Amino acid sequence: MDSNVHTPKPFPQPAAGYTQPFWRTELDDLDSHQSSADLPPETEILIIGGGYAGASAAYHLFNDAPQDKSLGVVLLEGRELCSGATGRNGGHLRPDLYAATKVYQERYGLEAAAEVVRYEISHMKQLEETVRNEGIDCDLTFTRSYDIFLDADHLAAAKAYYDSLVQYDLDFMSDVEYLTEKEAQTIAKVKNAKGGFSFSAGHLWPYKLVAGLIRIAVSRGLQLHTKTMVTGIGQTPSLEGFWPVTTSRGVIHARKIIFATNAYTSALAPEYSRAIVPCKGLCTQIQAAPGAPYEAIPETYVIRHGPGCFIYQISRKDGSIIVGGAEYTYRDSPAQWYSNSEDGSVIPNVETYFDGYMQRTFHGWEDSQATVKQKWTGVMGYSADSLPHIGAIPNKPGQFIAAGFNGHGMPVVFLGGKAVAEMAQKSISFSQTGLPRLFETTAERLTPIYDDTMGYP
Ligand SMILES: Cc1cc2nc3c(=O)[nH]c(=O)nc-3n(C[C@H](O)[C@H](O)[C@H](O)COP(=O)(O)OP(=O)(O)OC[C@H]3O[C@@H](n4cnc5c(N)ncnc54)[C@H](O)[C@@H]3O)c2cc1C
């Protein structure tokens, strides 16, 4: 293993030229939009990043003030709209009910850990309401999620923790059902399964959600500038309180800045270089051959080969499967993925892993002739303590962050973007946002005492 691996450094901004995800096959009219030929010289609020976090912040900034063109909000995206992690993920909207909870409970206590779980679960209702009320067509679908274990010892440890949470009488545990070995093989249809759990989850077309939120914000006054890379931020604000921000299209001055830059944060805010590390992952779209037989599996999955070794998957209405993960196949080759913000190529160790995946994993898919139709990489912002960084950036008045969402942003980012928008717009404190206490970005968390980036504990 590379001995430099635990000394992350600041990274270049997202580079041009990248693998093409399935989600970017139907592009929105705003994909390369620039609201004006030149950037405005100044703005009240500047959002950097046009993924899920930036879109949520933009949407919520205008939520209370529809048509208020004087609000002065500019969003800068270095590449096209939603071309970072959000446009390249697995589309899995799956709260983590008991897996990460164990780690958080050991580190911070049960109450703080349970706050995170409830927050994640609340995303399903929040997104359902927003998507319905705003008429955003993003294939949002709710179903059950199977968490299937192939290793008996791993399952036994998970079951013991599940039993302890049930004994605590936590409200959300009533949604979790245990599956025996037989049920995991016949109902969940997973070969060699030793057992598992199921609970409520969802999936969606992430690009269409982001494009929908951005379209609403633009219609209410957001100035959107894609293909505009932020290259630097001045060290001090002007006397009037405006930060000078250098971009590939000139300088813009902003009173408030929201970093929605996820994996790429440390390029602009080097104090985050140990707290948020860019780490590459791979995702695929798999489809059975036309007319070939296969059994429908409308549920979503996480299939665990052992501690820290898992694959996630959703089924789309068109019959295709989006599958990714298998980090364990390349974890010991850090040059392929760790501290790596390049999504222009696949990860060699996992490149062919998903060939024949459905046939070898699921009962009923043996004759499906399923093949990988598309594969792509994306860059996640792995946080050292596995928690996102949300709130006011220490020692930089007027600067805020919502980043470090790991491979688990879909049930976390939407309300994080809302919270950071409220902090920037209404000058409320982190505790007033109602976010889980563990999410607050603090000076202490910038010199982390944990390092989960090389593999989740
Ligand atoms: C392969 C893969 C699979 C995943 N699967 C899932 C999943 O199934 N479920 C789940 O919950 N999560 C998943 N995730 C994680 C999830 O996608 C992220 O947590 C989430 O999308 C983060 O959103 P974001 O807006 O913070 O980041 P991003 O979507 O990466 O947005 C950040 C944006 O900022 C822009 N930017 C950065 N720096 C600059 C700059 N200097 N100037 C201008 N623009 C800049 C980038 O170009 C980018 O568009 C996956 C991630 C990957 C990569």
Side-chain angles (χ1 to χ4, degrees):
M1 188 173 289
D2 183 345
S3 59
N4 287 329
V5 92
H6 284 285
T7 52
K9 50 193 183 300
F11 289 88
Q13 285 91 351
Y18 38 87
T19 52
Q20 286 307 322
F22 164 75
W23 308 117
R24 288 186 50 80
T25 51
E26 292 179 23
L27 297 182
D28 195 271
D29 289 348
L30 293 176
D31 195 62
S32 295
H33 185 78
Q34 295 184 340
S35 292
S36 52
D38 297 315
L39 288 184
E42 65 179 39
T43 184
E44 277 302 306
I45 301 180
L46 175 69
I47 302 169
I48 309 174
Y52 190 13
S56 172
Y59 169 77
H60 286 105
L61 281 170
F62 286 96
N63 215 16
D64 290 343
Q67 310 300 335
D68 182 359
K69 308 268 179 196
S70 67
L71 196 54
V73 183
V74 172
L75 188 152
L76 303 181
E77 164 55 50
R79 308 197 295 195
E80 296 82 7
L81 189 63
C82 199
S83 55
T86 314
R88 325 173 68 75
N89 71 18
H92 204 172
L93 174 63
R94 181 182 188 270
D96 187 335
L97 270 60
Y98 49 81
T101 315
K102 184 167 191 290
V103 177
Y104 299 150
Q105 181 184 351
E106 282 162 6
R107 291 179 181 173
Y108 314 109
L110 183 61
E111 203 185 322
E115 257 178 32
V116 176
V117 179
R118 292 193 185 98
Y119 168 84
E120 292 193 10
I121 292 171
S122 74
H123 270 75
M124 304 225 283
K125 186 160 173 283
Q126 287 291 331
L127 279 171
E128 199 273 332
E129 276 177 18
T130 304
V131 162
R132 179 168 29 85
N133 293 342
E134 301 287 9
I136 299 173
D137 180 9
C138 63
D139 291 357
L140 180 60
T141 306
F142 292 104
T143 179
R144 297 290 285 179
S145 185
Y146 288 127
D147 197 355
I148 301 298
F149 291 69
L150 305 187
D151 177 87
D153 291 341
H154 192 203
L155 173 67
K159 175 73 165 61
Y161 185 62
Y162 159 89
D163 288 341
S164 76
L165 290 183
V166 170
Q167 276 182 357
Y168 285 125
D169 206 20
L170 293 164
D171 47 321
F172 48 83
M173 289 308 287
S174 61
D175 185 41
V176 187
E177 286 171 18
Y178 179 67
L179 277 79
T180 62
E181 178 168 352
K182 188 172 175 207
E183 288 167 337
Q185 296 223 14
T186 54
I187 301 174
K189 304 187 182 80
V190 178
K191 295 178 179 177
N192 304 315
K194 298 292 182 287
F197 305 89
S198 87
F199 50 88
S200 303
H203 57 87
L204 74 166
W205 189 313
Y207 178 89
K208 291 191 177 180
L209 172 67
V210 165
L213 294 172
I214 288 284
R215 217 177 313 122
I216 293 162
V218 167
S219 74
R220 294 174 181 172
L222 172 72
Q223 297 178 62
L224 171 67
H225 290 270
T226 64
K227 299 190 171 174
T228 306
M229 191 69 76
V230 175
T231 52
I233 296 168
Q235 290 301 305
T236 49
S238 68
L239 285 177
E240 295 77 30
F242 283 82
W243 294 91
V245 176
T246 314
T247 83
S248 54
R249 293 174 56 221
V251 178
I252 179 169
H253 297 82
R255 197 186 295 278
K256 308 267 177 71
I257 301 176
I258 294 175
F259 286 74
T261 41
N262 204 34
Y264 311 100
T265 299
S266 64
L268 298 175
E271 63 267 45
Y272 282 87
S273 62
R274 288 185 58 202
I276 303 176
V277 181
C279 293
K280 203 167 154 177
L282 179 131
C283 212
T284 62
Q285 184 195 29
I286 297 180
Q287 194 141 31
Y294 67 88
E295 285 196 35
I297 40 173
E299 299 84 6
T300 77
Y301 286 82
V302 163
I303 297 180
R304 301 184 189 273
H305 290 245
C309 305
F310 65 90
I311 286 153
Y312 53 84
Q313 125 183 14
I314 66 164
S315 292
R316 289 184 30 74
K317 281 196 199 106
D318 62 12
S320 72
I321 311 281
I322 307 289
V323 192
E327 186 192 281
Y328 59 95
T329 60
Y330 54 85
R331 191 175 293 145
D332 288 343
S333 303
Q336 295 188 17
W337 65 280
Y338 186 81
S339 286
N340 187 333
S341 58
E342 183 270 332
D343 49 14
S345 62
V346 295
I347 300 170
N349 282 15
V350 72
E351 185 173 0
T352 56
Y353 176 88
F354 291 102
D355 295 346
Y357 164 80
M358 292 304 290
Q359 291 90 324
R360 67 178 183 264
T361 307
F362 286 93
H363 293 295
W365 280 74
E366 293 81 359
D367 301 321
S368 65
Q369 299 168 50
T371 52
V372 174
K373 293 289 172 203
Q374 219 160 327
K375 67 181 92 155
W376 59 89
T377 51
V379 185
M380 291 163 275
Y382 276 10
S383 66
D385 54 15
S386 302
L387 294 157
H389 283 262
I390 302 178
I393 295 181
N395 306 318
K396 290 189 174 168
Q399 296 192 20
F400 302 86
I401 187 170
F405 292 107
N406 301 292
H408 189 62
M410 299 318 287
V412 183
V413 173
F414 188 66
L415 294 174
K418 176 176 191 253
V420 86
E422 286 173 351
M423 289 182 74
Q425 189 174 33
K426 301 174 185 167
S427 299
I428 64 169
S429 66
F430 179 87
S431 60
Q432 289 172 296
T433 65
L435 249 51
R437 67 191 92 166
L438 299 180
F439 289 3
E440 184 172 15
T441 192
T442 60
E444 293 73 39
R445 289 183 64 208
L446 299 185
T447 46
I449 53 171
Y450 303 108
D451 186 2
D452 303 338
T453 58
M454 280 301 288
Y456 197 71

